[in-house]
DNA sequence: TAATTCGCTAGACCGA
DNA sequence: TCGGTCTAGCGAA
């Protein structure tokens, strides 16, 4: 009997229903592996009511799985709930996980199968109430599990992380393991870091020079073993580093046992990407995690390269200036200094990767624990598969059958037309003082909870008279909590509890605080994804009416608050979805108003005060001097902190000089209110631009190509710049193009060249298309015209204010 | 690629 | 050369 963290589970399909568990002892941190053959794969069958002899008939089902016979082993009768009613269902037990979907499909003639598409590992975790990354109490004999039970602890497993990165020979456009060797492998752990290479001399001590590439690969495995790595961290190792090394190892016949078993790393398609796994260790690819966090707005990256991510997350700039495409030149005939620099560059990448992973690992562990996914999956999954196990746990606890995945025809039959979205009140452009911003806390989740929205509560039989009725007339049950509402309530409850604890903590730097922060973040991610899923036709708990009702209630609540604000003599400046911008006289009036509103709201809903802002700017929509732009404003709070939304300066597809100038203008106006100072600043920028002395790096425009370059109907500047670069034989990555508008050519597309090819810039373009439009948007609210900025005319004062 | 929808904007394209 | 229309990318919620 011992207590251990459950790090990972996998199973070899060839061996049938035998699971392999990777565990880490709580007392001494030793990792060991056990097998569990006690779990039997199964599914449920709700028999057709008119058929009396279903059991016998089902037992006679025979089908084939990979050429061998597959039939049910036995049948048990169990009680389950379906649509709120308790019924007797058949639990059809099979001998191999692969048989389950086949036998379930055959059984359709006798009834309706349930829970036949649940992956075996998930089935095992759900039935034994086990949580990956959590503590378990396990009893075993030899390497066979006798019993295993959850302990449910807040303790996180202390994982030993080893990050690595490789450099490959790349004379051709892209390295191909069939042709190009791996030149270097660098690695980093909390205690040591180094570089492995071969056949060349290096000055630095951290470089270990092996006899050849094969020896380098084998030495790398040794290092992984010596460090007892639980987690192997990479940046895009899923699709590059691991498949590359594995292929090289096969070709060189190297002993490349990177894992804790004898198998080579495996690569298989997971959704749209490849995922590479290493036996007995967790391969943690930071790239999809960073991409996900960037997507949900945890931070904002212009580019998603390793060094950009490291800078954003750790604040440390580990950038080594090296052109990736020059690596083969440095290797073939670089000077000693260049070779040393290559090693330095490589080790930097491993160190950066380690730093990133150490930073995001707590969040990923928490996410895995919370949702019940293995961390290997939780770090790679999109919202739906991430959330599903979490709701399944709830279903199981309630004794309900889990709805099946919708079939292809069900999916295509579901309404995909857009649901009417949020309410937006357009602001009148201008500068305002004394703005209070209020917003609904977790608006959509709280509406779902307080109105019991859900697929299983919609149009119930029990409360035809007294259900929750949405503005458009959709009715939801008042007696039985929907599974979605139930789940969301759990999520919000634990999030608020964590936030409460965090407020009592003194140090925001402590490990404990960081862990709590990660937990509440993962809860937020989950809560926010549920509303979107209810409208996803592939979701098991899809409810079109639920989605429609949720946004309709949201619109109703916010307009109600607007009405009450006007009654209380506030001016409503702007609304978007869940926020209300009020103009006030006294702060205490706003606080009192908020309290009154909260008294009138359903228990779960709450209006929060975001902040008071002494001054703020809304700008006009282009070509419409009266209507203000949505999602575009700037505010300054009492501490002088500026909050900016939607302006060009937050967009990466604008040049740095335009963004910087716009930011300065906003800052001067919001902080000091001095229009003439802002005008002077712009004039200086204009003069500098016209002198031709602005560094090209400040003029770069970054745009992503979301399609293959050949698939574009319109040749935009970025596509044009990309094509010219390719024609010139330059190696530029397809995904993100950085270009400068030069003086060469007529149209903007013709003038656009990638940064590496640009020799000068078109001052007129940057003046008329970047600087002036971005600052005039703001300054024209204050009576400034284009002429004021480009010629020396009269000074402006703040008279208007 | 990610959840989903909407709005904003730039620049190309196209016909007069 | 113009103005309208269309394609496309980005950000906010």
């Amino acid at each position: 009997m011992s207590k251990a963290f459950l790090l990972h589970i996998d199973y070899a399909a060839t061996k049938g229903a035998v699971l392999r568990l990777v565990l880490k002892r709580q007392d001494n941190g030793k990792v060991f592996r056990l097998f569990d053959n006690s779990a039997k794969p199964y599914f449920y069958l709700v028999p057709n009511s008119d058929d009396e002899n279903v059991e016998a008939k089902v037992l006679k089902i025979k089908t084939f799985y990979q050429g061998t016979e597959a039939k049910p082993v036995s049948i048990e009768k169990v009680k389950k709930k379906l649509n709120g009613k308790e019924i007797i269902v058949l639990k059809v037990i099979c001998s191999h996980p692969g048989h389950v979907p086949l036998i379930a499909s055959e059984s359709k003639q006798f009834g309706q199968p349930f829970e036949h598409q649940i992956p075996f590992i998930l089935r095992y975790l759900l039935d034994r109430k086990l949580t990956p990354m959590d503590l378990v109490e396990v009893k075993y004999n030899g390497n066979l599990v006798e019993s295993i039970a959850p302990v449910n602890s807040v303790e996180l497993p202390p994982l030993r992380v080893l990050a690595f990165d490789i450099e490959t020979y790349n004379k051709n456009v892209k390295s191909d393991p069939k042709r190009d060797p791996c030149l270097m492998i660098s690695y980093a752990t909390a205690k040591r870091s180094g570089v492995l290479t071969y056949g060349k001399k290096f000055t630095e001590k951290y470089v270990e020079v092996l006899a050849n590439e094969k020896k380098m690969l084998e030495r790398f495995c040794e290092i992984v073993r010596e460090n007892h790595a639980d987690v192997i961290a990479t940046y895009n190792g899923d699709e590059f580093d691991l498949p590359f090394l594995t292929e090289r190892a096969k070709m060189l016949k190297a002993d490349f046992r990177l894992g804790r078993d004898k198998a080579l790393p495996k690569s298989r398609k997971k959704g749209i990407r490849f995922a590479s796994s290493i036996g007995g260790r967790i391969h943690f690819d930071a790239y999809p995690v960073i991409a996900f966090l960037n997507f949900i707005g945890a931070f904002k990256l212009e580019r998603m390269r390793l060094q950009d991510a490291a800078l954003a997350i750790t604040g440390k700039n580990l950038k080594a200036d090296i052109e990736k495409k020059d690596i083969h030149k440095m290797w073939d005939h670089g000077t000693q200094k260049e070779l040393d620099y290559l090693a330095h560059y490589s080790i930097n990448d491993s160190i950066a990767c380690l730093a990133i992973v150490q930073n995001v690992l707590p969040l990923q562990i928490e996410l895995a624990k919370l949702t019940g996914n293995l961390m290997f999956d939780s770090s790679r999954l999109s919202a739906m598969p991430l959330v599903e196990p979490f709701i399944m746990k709830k279903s199981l606890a309630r004794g309900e059958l889990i709805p099946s995945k919708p079939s292809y025809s069900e999916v295509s039959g579901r309404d995909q037309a857009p649901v009417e979205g949020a309410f937006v009140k357009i602001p009148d452009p201008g500068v305002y003082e004394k703005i209070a911003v209020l917003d609904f806390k977790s608006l959509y989740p709280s509406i779902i909870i307080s109105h019991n929205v859900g697929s299983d509560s919609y149009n119930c039989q029990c409360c035809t008279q007294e259900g929750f009725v949405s503005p458009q007339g959709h009715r939801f049950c008042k007696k039985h909590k929907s599974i979605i509402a139930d789940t969301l309530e759990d999520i919000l409850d634990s999030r608020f509890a964590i936030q409460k604890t965090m407020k009592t903590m003194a140090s925001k730097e402590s490990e404990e605080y960081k862990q709590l922060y990660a937990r509440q973040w993962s809860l937020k991610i989950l809560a926010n994804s549920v509303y979107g899923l209810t409208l996803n036709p592939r979701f098991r708990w899809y409810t079109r009416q639920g989605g429609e009702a949720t946004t309709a209630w949201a619109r109703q609540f916010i307009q109600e608050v607007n009405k009450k604000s006007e009654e209380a003599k506030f001016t409503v400046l702007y609304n978007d979805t869940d926020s209300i911008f009020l103009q006030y006289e006294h702060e205490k009036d706003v606080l009192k108003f908020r309290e009154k509103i909260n008294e009138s709201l359903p228990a779960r809903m709450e209006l929060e005060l975001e902040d008071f802002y002494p001054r703020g700017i809304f700008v006009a929509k282009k070509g419409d001097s009266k209507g203000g732009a949505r999602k575009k404003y700037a505010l300054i709070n009492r501490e002088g902190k500026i909050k900016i939304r939607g302006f060009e300066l937050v967009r990466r597809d604008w040049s740095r000089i335009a963004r910087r100038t716009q930011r300065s203008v906003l800052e001067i106006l919001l902080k000091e209110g001095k229009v003439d100072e802002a005008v002077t600043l712009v004039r200086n920028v204009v003069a500098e631009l016209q002198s031709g002395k602005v560094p090209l790096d400040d003029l770069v425009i970054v745009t992503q190509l979301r399609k293959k370059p050949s698939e574009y109907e319109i040749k935009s500047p970025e596509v044009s710049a990309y094509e010219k670069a390719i024609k010139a034989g330059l190696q530029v990555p397809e995904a993100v193009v950085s270009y400068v508008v030069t003086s060469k050519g007529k149209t903007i597309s013709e003038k656009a060249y990638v940064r590496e090819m640009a020799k000068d810039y078109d001052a007129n373009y940057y003046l008329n298309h970047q600087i002036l439009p971005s600052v005039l948007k703001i300054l024209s609210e204050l009576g400034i015209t284009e002429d004021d900025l480009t010629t020396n005319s009269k000074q402006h004062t703040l008279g208007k204010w």
Side-chain angles (χ1 to χ4, degrees):
Chain A
M1 188 82 103
S2 63
K3 276 191 189 166
F5 295 100
L6 178 58
L7 298 191
H8 193 70
I9 304 184
D10 56 17
Y11 87 101
T14 49
K15 287 193 182 142
V18 183
L19 290 158
R20 270 190 318 201
L21 281 60
V22 182
L23 297 134
K24 189 180 184 82
R25 285 179 66 115
Q26 187 191 25
D27 51 6
N28 60 15
K30 283 235 167 79
V31 172
F32 63 112
R33 304 204 14 182
L34 295 176
F35 293 88
D36 193 340
N37 59 8
S38 68
K40 296 288 170 254
Y42 67 90
F43 66 95
Y44 294 112
L45 187 70
V46 177
N48 294 333
S49 53
D50 50 348
D51 204 334
E52 285 170 15
N53 243 333
V54 177
E55 273 186 74
K57 287 179 186 165
V58 172
L59 277 172
K60 283 199 191 113
I61 289 176
K62 235 186 240 174
T63 175
F64 286 92
Y65 173 74
Q66 296 181 347
T68 61
E69 202 176 78
K71 51 188 187 185
V73 177
S74 60
I75 290 184
E76 288 169 20
K77 283 185 177 168
V78 292
K79 269 190 208 160
K80 280 274 175 182
K81 273 193 223 157
L82 180 63
N83 303 326
K85 259 190 269 166
E86 202 151 84
I87 52 166
I88 301 290
V89 301
L90 304 181
K91 182 177 178 179
V92 184
I93 296 160
C94 307
S95 60
H96 188 287
H99 296 177
V100 170
L102 299 169
I103 297 174
S105 161
E106 289 295 316
S107 73
K108 276 183 186 160
Q109 44 183 319
F110 310 118
Q112 195 186 356
F114 277 88
E115 308 194 10
H116 50 295
Q117 313 132 310
I118 296 176
F120 188 48
I121 293 171
L122 180 58
R123 179 87 266 171
Y124 176 82
L125 290 168
L126 287 171
D127 287 349
R128 285 172 175 57
K129 299 189 173 60
L130 299 176
T131 308
M133 292 293 149
D134 204 349
L135 267 183
V136 296
E137 181 119 28
V138 63
K139 214 164 118 186
Y140 53 98
N141 189 354
N143 59 8
L144 212 56
V145 172
E146 285 185 341
S147 72
I148 182 163
V151 175
N152 290 332
S153 142
V154 292
E155 200 179 330
L156 294 190
L159 297 175
R160 275 182 295 245
V161 183
L162 181 141
F164 83 92
D165 186 58
I166 66 174
E167 306 308 328
T168 58
Y169 193 75
N170 60 346
K171 198 166 189 169
N172 299 69
V173 178
K174 228 176 165 185
S175 295
D176 177 353
K178 292 211 158 53
R179 175 189 60 213
D180 305 311
C182 174
L183 308 177
M184 275 180 188
I185 304 176
S186 64
Y187 62 91
T189 71
K191 289 187 187 130
R192 61 190 267 209
S193 56
V195 174
L196 306 177
T197 184
Y198 54 91
K200 305 258 174 190
K201 278 198 186 122
F202 290 84
T203 317
E204 295 287 352
K205 264 193 289 184
Y206 58 72
V207 182
E208 188 178 337
V209 181
L210 284 302
N212 53 42
E213 189 187 358
K214 182 180 172 197
K215 289 272 185 318
M216 173 180 76
L217 293 174
E218 289 169 352
R219 174 70 184 130
F220 179 53
C221 292
E222 257 176 52
I223 284 176
V224 169
R225 278 195 292 274
E226 282 167 14
N227 283 283
H228 306 284
D230 301 317
V231 173
I232 307 262
T234 63
Y235 199 79
N236 204 25
D238 267 347
E239 300 205 302
F240 183 66
D241 303 54
L242 275 173
F244 195 98
L245 289 186
T246 308
E247 183 60 34
R248 288 307 291 171
K250 277 185 201 159
M251 290 181 60
L252 300 166
K253 299 203 167 49
D255 179 4
F256 195 59
R257 283 177 295 175
L258 207 51
R260 286 175 168 134
D261 58 9
K262 289 174 190 162
L264 285 172
K266 285 186 199 65
S267 180
R268 72 200 150 88
K269 193 114 188 165
K270 207 166 180 89
I272 201 152
R273 299 182 77 244
F274 279 91
S276 298
S277 59
I278 300 168
R281 306 186 205 275
I282 300 167
H283 171 219
F284 189 94
D285 187 341
Y287 178 74
V289 177
I290 294 298
F292 178 71
L293 291 174
N294 193 39
F295 179 72
I296 62 168
F299 44 76
K300 210 155 67 186
L301 295 176
E302 271 184 28
R303 304 281 303 263
M304 237 133 38
R305 296 167 305 195
L306 172 63
Q307 302 296 349
D308 303 288
L311 180 61
I313 284 186
T314 64
K316 276 181 230 150
N317 195 352
L318 292 168
K319 208 166 207 154
D321 255 331
I322 188 171
E323 293 283 346
K324 262 240 162 289
K325 64 181 185 339
D326 292 338
I327 288 176
H328 72 277
K329 289 186 208 153
M330 297 167 83
W331 181 260
D332 281 341
H333 34 253
T335 60
Q336 186 59 53
K337 207 175 151 196
E338 280 177 321
L339 271 178
D340 284 339
Y341 197 64
L342 187 59
H344 170 70
Y345 166 79
S346 183
I347 202 169
N348 255 359
D349 271 1
S350 286
I351 292 168
C353 180
L354 181 72
I356 292 170
V357 169
Q358 279 169 340
N359 205 287
V360 298
L361 206 58
L363 173 64
Q364 289 301 319
I365 295 175
E366 288 297 349
L367 206 53
K369 277 182 77 165
L370 195 73
T371 59
N373 284 292
L374 298 169
M375 194 172 67
F376 183 82
D377 295 320
S378 77
S379 59
R380 290 171 173 84
L381 290 177
S382 57
M384 189 148 57
L386 191 66
V387 173
E388 272 186 334
F390 190 64
I391 308 180
M392 286 178 182
K393 259 197 281 186
K394 195 91 211 169
S395 246
L396 217 62
R398 291 169 33 142
E400 291 168 6
L401 285 172
I402 298 166
S404 297
K405 279 188 199 166
S407 66
Y408 180 76
S409 65
E410 275 174 283
V411 170
S412 45
R414 288 177 173 177
D415 194 350
Q416 295 209 44
V419 163
E420 189 183 345
F423 173 77
V424 179
K425 180 184 159 69
I426 299 168
D428 285 330
V431 179
Y432 296 87
E433 298 195 345
K434 289 194 170 178
I435 303 167
V437 178
L438 300 162
D439 53 22
F440 281 100
K441 190 170 175 180
S442 306
L443 179 64
Y444 288 179
S446 69
I447 286 175
I448 292 174
I449 296 169
S450 51
H451 301 80
N452 202 31
V453 173
S455 52
D456 47 346
S457 57
Y458 173 65
N459 254 353
C460 67
Q461 300 299 310
C462 52
C463 22
T464 46
Q465 298 305 315
E466 71 276 10
F468 294 106
V469 179
S470 79
Q472 69 266 76
H474 298 324
R475 183 173 49 77
F476 298 93
C477 188
K478 263 194 177 171
K479 289 182 186 153
H480 305 287
K481 209 172 266 181
S482 83
I483 191 112
I484 299 276
D486 203 357
T487 310
L488 277 174
E489 199 162 25
D490 278 2
I491 297 176
L492 293 197
D493 278 345
S494 27
R495 178 153 190 249
F496 297 157
I498 292 167
Q499 288 177 329
K500 215 170 156 188
T501 318
M502 284 168 68
K503 273 186 193 149
T504 66
M505 294 174 72
S507 162
K508 291 192 174 180
E509 296 304 313
S510 69
E511 278 307 307
E512 205 189 343
Y513 186 91
K514 281 185 191 163
Q515 191 187 324
L516 288 179
Y517 183 82
R519 280 186 72 182
Q520 66 87 27
W521 239 106
S522 57
L523 287 162
K524 185 184 168 150
I525 293 171
L526 276 189
N528 285 345
S529 55
V530 172
Y531 157 74
L533 291 177
T534 60
L535 287 168
N536 185 327
R538 295 178 194 283
F539 192 45
R540 292 172 196 257
W541 294 275
Y542 165 88
T543 165
R544 168 88 189 179
Q545 292 83 3
E548 286 172 351
T550 305
T551 56
W553 265 310
R555 292 190 297 272
Q556 196 183 50
F557 276 110
I558 202 141
Q559 282 168 295
E560 190 63 25
V561 174
N562 278 357
K563 214 176 104 195
K564 288 181 181 166
S565 309
E566 306 280 358
E567 283 166 14
K569 304 283 181 248
F570 298 113
T571 311
V572 179
L573 296 174
Y574 174 61
N575 296 119
D576 189 354
T577 315
D578 59 356
S579 61
I580 300 112
F581 290 53
L582 296 179
Q583 232 185 339
Y584 63 91
E585 283 291 326
H586 305 288
E587 287 181 2
K588 64 175 194 325
D589 295 342
V590 177
L591 297 173
K592 223 185 278 168
F593 175 71
R594 185 188 84 100
E595 253 170 56
K596 225 177 95 195
I597 293 286
N598 279 333
E599 280 165 21
S600 72
L601 291 173
R604 265 293 166 175
M605 297 184 65
E606 192 188 337
L607 192 65
E608 286 186 305
L609 173 76
E610 197 211 83
D611 210 347
F612 291 111
Y613 298 94
R615 193 177 283 154
I617 297 177
F618 292 99
V619 298
K621 197 160 83 176
K622 201 181 175 183
D624 179 355
S625 58
K626 273 182 250 154
R630 294 145 209 236
K631 302 181 195 299
K632 203 171 203 179
Y633 55 85
L635 305 164
I636 185 164
N637 73 4
R638 291 168 298 185
E639 287 79 44
K641 202 170 166 229
I642 295 179
K643 178 178 172 169
I644 297 169
R645 287 294 118 96
F647 279 101
E648 283 75 5
L649 66 92
V650 299
R651 296 175 65 102
R652 69 173 187 187
D653 57 348
W654 279 70
S655 63
R656 201 187 291 169
I657 191 162
R659 289 185 285 165
R660 198 162 55 200
T661 311
Q662 193 184 41
R663 174 179 293 277
S664 307
V665 166
L666 272 178
E667 276 177 4
I668 293 172
L669 293 181
L670 286 172
K671 280 191 180 154
E672 299 152 38
K674 290 182 185 153
V675 184
D676 51 347
E677 241 177 64
V679 170
T680 310
L681 179 119
V682 177
R683 281 187 183 158
N684 289 342
V685 175
V686 169
E688 201 192 339
L689 202 56
Q690 283 168 336
S691 73
K693 284 180 193 153
V694 176
L696 289 183
D697 282 337
D698 286 348
L699 301 165
V700 168
I701 296 167
V702 178
T703 313
Q704 191 173 355
L705 297 187
R706 301 212 273 204
K707 297 197 277 191
K708 286 209 182 103
S710 58
E711 287 170 8
Y712 282 89
E713 284 181 38
I714 285 175
K715 201 178 277 184
S716 55
E718 54 273 21
V719 173
S720 164
Y722 175 81
E723 284 178 346
K724 275 176 280 194
I726 291 299
K727 214 170 164 192
L730 236 67
Q731 287 176 34
V732 278
E734 229 171 64
V736 183
V737 180
S738 304
Y739 67 92
V740 174
V741 176
T742 68
S743 60
K744 221 162 79 187
K746 270 190 213 145
T747 65
I748 296 170
S749 277
E750 279 171 28
K751 288 166 181 250
Y753 283 85
V754 292
R755 169 67 187 87
E756 293 89 332
M757 292 173 77
K759 298 275 183 290
D760 64 353
Y761 66 87
D762 178 353
N764 274 331
Y765 170 81
Y766 283 96
L767 183 62
N768 294 318
H769 293 256
Q770 296 267 324
I771 301 287
L772 291 180
S774 62
V775 298
L776 274 173
K777 217 158 271 167
I778 301 159
L779 290 172
S780 60
E781 294 309 322
L782 302 164
I784 304 290
T785 63
E786 186 178 328
D787 282 351
D788 298 331
L789 299 174
T790 49
T791 53
N792 287 320
S793 60
K794 59 186 189 307
Q795 292 284 300
H796 288 265
T797 58
L798 253 182
K800 242 180 114 164
W801 295 7

